[in-house]
Amino acid sequence: MKCSWLMSSFLRNRRDTVKHFPHFLLTATSLLLLAAPAHASRLESWRFDTNSNQLEFTTDEDVQPRAQLISDPTRLVIDLPGIVLGRPASTQSYSGAIRSVRLGQFDRGAARLVVELAPGYTIDPNQVRFRGLTARQWTVQLPTPQLLPADAASASPVGGVSGNGNQASSTQIQGVQVTPDGIFVRTNGGSPDLEVRRSSDRSQITVDVQGATLALSATRNLLVNRLGVSRITLSQLQASPPIARLTLNVDRSSPDWQATTSSSGGLVLLPSGNVASGTDSRPSSSPPPLFRPGALATIESVALENNDTQLVIRANQPLKYSTGWDRATGTYRVTVNSAQLAKNVKGPQLEASSPVLKLRLRQETANTAVILVTPASGVLINDTNQPNQQTLALQLQRSRLPIASLPNPSTASIPVPNAPRTDPLPPRSTAPIPDVPRATNGRPVVIIDPGHGGPDPGAIGIGGLQEKGIVLDIGQKVAAMLEQQGIQAIITRPDDRDLDLEPRVQLAERANATVFVSIHANSINLSRQDISGLETYYYQSGLNLARVIHQSVLEGTGIQDRGVRSARFYVLRKTSMPSVLVEVGFVTGRDDAAKLSDANYRSRMATAIARGILRYLGRSS
């Protein structure tokens, strides 16, 4: 079964041959938001087909990819210079030799795709094949992953440890992350035995990880200054059998630490008693704030702490909060209920190197305070948690992969052919542009554009529900209803034919259309069947048209409202008349899929769209 997902409803381009499902990072907690200018070149879609080991991606402008194969663990890294992601980073995980495909913003000038293999697997870089269908549409064919030889698979990247029967390494330490309540060590491999000791002078705590080696990308020396820990160092204690050591430099008065393996992979280190954050300015001897039932919590400070890895919100009372991305502002929103902002509270002073690009504090209602956070380019908001009842901590993480910024001797460059020219667009085998009837009696001309078609099914949802059939049925009905009302309706594809984006635009321009309405069905990962609803997109002159159609559909169908939004879809950008793209529901949504499968509901949807067009044109429906 092909694995595809929609990158983001902001970034979809209808040039791609399948609908791309958005991936919400599985836990919906690790997101990347980039402040990108509207004219920036963008990655509009991507998918990975596990059956054929083929990666496809599409941009809205020409791009010349760069690629390299990096080991420990093996991953194919593809950089797209000049491309801005502009939306959250995403990761899709798989079973088998290909473990995941990740997308993020490497830096302000390049997006990055990373195909990561499971431990013990590799691919031949000489057999990786890039093909530019156009300079904006690329495929990458990966060879079948192969198991590393036993001696190579068990070799340590540090110290040249070789496998030796039962002494072969089974765990590799990838890196260390400080959390609000402890330390998390990312690992590959099995669950190792751990041995924790404290030095006689109580200044160091060591954690020996049996059968473990250090990845080349793992940072060996990490400044912490938190939880009573000043610094963490990683070292390869011995080569055969391999033992890796974590050394925590701690305050002599701090508690002991415990180390356990995590069921989700990795190691968890926690202090065995309460320990105050090294950055908390409140003296440890200060009593906790007095809780007054019914009183509003006062937010007293919002500050960047822990080497700018956390945005910390502190109040004088326990905090009740919710978080999520604000679609209207494109920011990460922290809503604190039963709370007020202190009169003199200010956010941190933001510098050019700050992980936060913009921060706004506002009192939304008398009882609700809101913090809106715009992360800087390449920064993940990696979770929000409460170290204590009066404190919230947003974890900020630079998304640039450590392996990308460190010299790595185990790197192989992969040649990529020069991008083909796209001006003019290369010919494509497709149905001819339909003949354009001449407008008669000054009638308005409306282009109805059912998305996808022919070999391109669009989104495939619950029970194999295909987007192309749904939108064709709705589009045909809309066109017929408009004709009955005296409107000249031209449909871009009257049947199940293959039609590229450019011919759709050319048809609208040749017809000197009054408006252009593209009809699509939305999609998301099938694991998120709870998501349904209507989305309507416009670009520049199409806002009023989008609003009128959107409202008419809400009234006529009762579908969930997911908003009117601006987007740079090709058919919206390239048409000169007011244009919109209507997403009539999610074929992957439990509610929408059931309705869209019903011909009567599709008729109601078509009636609502037609009524909205007529309202916009000043005609009674």
Side-chain angles (χ1 to χ4, degrees):
M1 177 177 180
K2 292 188 176 181
C3 297
S4 60
W5 61 96
L6 175 65
M7 265 289 306
S8 163
S9 56
F10 285 84
L11 301 180
R12 281 166 307 191
N13 186 328
R14 274 23 190 199
R15 181 188 301 277
D16 45 320
T17 57
V18 296
K19 184 73 74 174
H20 302 282
F21 295 66
H23 182 69
F24 294 119
L25 301 186
L26 304 181
T27 60
T29 59
S30 180
L31 302 177
L32 168 66
L33 182 66
L34 299 162
H39 63 273
S41 300
R42 295 175 181 266
L43 177 67
E44 296 200 328
S45 62
W46 64 289
R47 74 182 184 105
F48 181 70
D49 184 348
T50 55
N51 291 329
S52 62
N53 277 348
Q54 182 169 280
L55 175 69
E56 300 176 5
F57 57 88
T58 303
T59 59
D60 71 343
E61 300 293 344
D62 293 2
V63 65
Q64 179 62 55
R66 297 192 300 258
Q68 56 184 330
L69 189 70
I70 301 176
S71 61
D72 304 321
T74 303
R75 55 216 179 274
L76 173 64
V77 177
I78 303 169
D79 288 330
L80 307 178
I83 299 299
V84 172
L85 175 59
R87 288 300 297 160
S90 62
T91 300
Q92 179 68 44
S93 299
Y94 308 99
S95 58
I98 302 294
R99 187 169 67 176
S100 67
V101 178
R102 305 194 304 271
L103 172 67
Q105 193 72 35
F106 171 56
D107 57 29
R108 290 185 182 273
R112 167 166 286 188
L113 282 157
V114 179
V115 181
E116 185 163 347
L117 277 69
Y121 283 87
T122 190
I123 56 176
D124 183 352
N126 296 319
Q127 295 184 29
V128 178
R129 298 286 183 264
F130 278 76
R131 181 188 175 203
L133 305 178
T134 72
R136 304 175 188 179
Q137 188 175 5
W138 291 79
T139 64
V140 185
Q141 182 63 58
L142 278 65
T144 301
Q146 302 294 325
L147 277 170
L148 287 164
D151 55 346
S154 60
S156 166
V158 178
V161 181
S162 60
N164 183 16
N166 294 333
Q167 295 179 350
S169 171
S170 60
T171 303
Q172 186 180 74
I173 293 177
Q174 302 293 305
V176 176
Q177 179 181 354
V178 179
T179 68
D181 56 354
I183 297 166
F184 179 72
V185 182
R186 290 182 293 109
T187 65
N188 282 334
S191 298
D193 292 331
L194 307 175
E195 187 174 347
V196 183
R197 292 192 182 93
R198 187 159 191 166
S199 63
S200 58
D201 64 358
R202 297 185 59 80
S203 65
Q204 286 189 340
I205 295 175
T206 59
V207 181
D208 290 344
V209 186
Q210 307 294 325
T213 59
L214 302 181
L216 282 175
S217 60
T219 301
R220 304 301 201 274
N221 199 321
L222 182 65
L223 187 65
V224 180
N225 291 330
R226 178 172 172 77
L227 300 169
V229 180
S230 59
R231 186 180 299 274
I232 300 173
T233 57
L234 299 180
S235 60
Q236 194 70 45
L237 184 63
Q238 74 179 46
S240 182
I243 300 176
R245 170 169 286 183
L246 287 81
T247 302
L248 283 61
N249 294 333
V250 298
D251 297 335
R252 289 181 173 85
S253 59
S254 66
D256 293 334
W257 282 66
Q258 299 174 338
T260 58
T261 57
S262 169
S263 59
S264 59
L267 312 177
V268 177
L269 280 62
L270 297 172
S272 52
N274 293 330
V275 57
S277 166
T279 60
D280 194 336
S281 59
R282 186 183 296 117
S284 58
S285 59
S286 299
L290 179 65
F291 173 64
R292 301 188 303 276
L296 293 180
T298 299
I299 296 176
E300 299 175 331
S301 68
V302 180
L304 288 168
E305 299 184 1
N306 300 322
N307 298 319
D308 288 353
T309 62
Q310 292 181 320
L311 182 70
V312 180
I313 303 165
R314 289 192 172 89
N316 67 343
Q317 291 265 68
L319 294 172
K320 299 178 181 179
Y321 70 97
S322 62
T323 60
W325 291 100
D326 189 301
R327 294 184 180 274
T329 62
T331 58
Y332 192 76
R333 176 187 175 104
V334 181
T335 303
V336 187
N337 300 313
S338 301
Q340 61 185 357
L341 298 172
K343 290 183 179 180
N344 299 323
V345 66
K346 295 181 180 179
Q349 184 173 354
L350 303 178
E351 302 175 352
S353 60
S354 170
V356 175
L357 182 67
K358 188 176 180 181
L359 183 74
R360 284 195 294 159
L361 311 179
R362 74 184 188 203
Q363 192 71 41
E364 191 165 79
T365 69
N367 299 327
T368 305
V370 171
I371 297 97
L372 297 174
V373 185
T374 303
S377 176
V379 173
L380 301 169
I381 295 182
N382 202 31
D383 204 356
T384 304
N385 34 44
Q386 275 186 290
N388 57 60
Q389 288 187 317
Q390 294 82 34
T391 305
L392 305 181
L394 275 68
Q395 309 302 313
L396 306 175
Q397 179 181 347
R398 301 280 179 182
S399 68
R400 181 182 297 189
L401 300 174
I403 53 91
S405 56
L406 295 176
N408 193 325
S410 302
T411 300
S413 295
I414 295 175
V416 180
N418 291 331
R421 294 180 59 87
T422 57
D423 188 16
L425 290 172
R428 173 184 170 184
S429 175
T430 183
I433 302 173
D435 292 335
V436 181
R438 294 187 179 275
T440 58
N441 301 323
R443 290 194 300 166
V445 177
V446 176
I447 301 294
I448 301 299
D449 175 42
H452 307 278
D456 173 12
I460 300 177
I462 297 173
L465 186 63
Q466 292 190 0
E467 176 183 10
K468 69 173 183 177
I470 291 170
V471 300
L472 177 60
D473 183 39
I474 294 173
Q476 290 171 334
K477 288 180 168 64
V478 172
M481 293 173 188
L482 292 176
E483 287 286 349
Q484 292 172 3
Q485 296 295 322
I487 304 298
Q488 183 175 350
I490 301 173
I491 192 165
T492 58
R493 63 173 188 95
D495 49 32
D496 186 19
R497 68 179 67 183
D498 182 18
L499 192 65
D500 205 354
L501 299 179
E502 183 62 22
R504 300 172 195 249
V505 172
Q506 290 177 5
L507 176 60
E509 296 299 323
R510 286 169 51 188
N512 193 25
T514 311
V515 296
F516 179 98
V517 179
S518 190
I519 302 175
H520 286 258
N522 221 329
S523 61
I524 197 173
N525 195 297
L526 281 167
S527 64
R528 296 300 308 273
Q529 297 184 15
D530 56 308
I531 295 180
S532 291
L534 172 73
E535 296 176 353
T536 306
Y537 293 90
Y538 70 94
Y539 182 71
Q540 294 182 340
S541 64
L543 175 57
N544 289 337
L545 176 62
R547 286 174 172 169
V548 173
I549 293 177
H550 190 85
Q551 184 61 35
S552 178
V553 174
L554 293 178
E555 294 171 358
T557 65
I559 190 173
Q560 182 180 344
D561 183 2
R562 290 177 58 87
V564 174
R565 311 173 187 181
S566 175
R568 302 179 75 252
F569 299 142
Y570 186 90
V571 293
L572 303 185
R573 287 186 292 117
K574 298 298 184 179
T575 44
S576 59
M577 69 290 302
S579 303
V580 299
L581 189 149
V582 184
E583 296 275 9
V584 296
F586 283 75
V587 295
T588 53
R590 188 178 303 107
D591 293 341
D592 285 351
K595 294 176 181 177
L596 292 171
S597 300
D598 181 1
N600 291 330
Y601 179 81
R602 294 196 298 271
S603 295
R604 288 171 54 197
M605 177 65 69
T607 300
I609 294 174
R611 182 172 57 242
I613 296 171
L614 291 169
R615 286 178 181 174
Y616 177 82
L617 296 174
R619 303 292 185 94
S620 62
S621 57

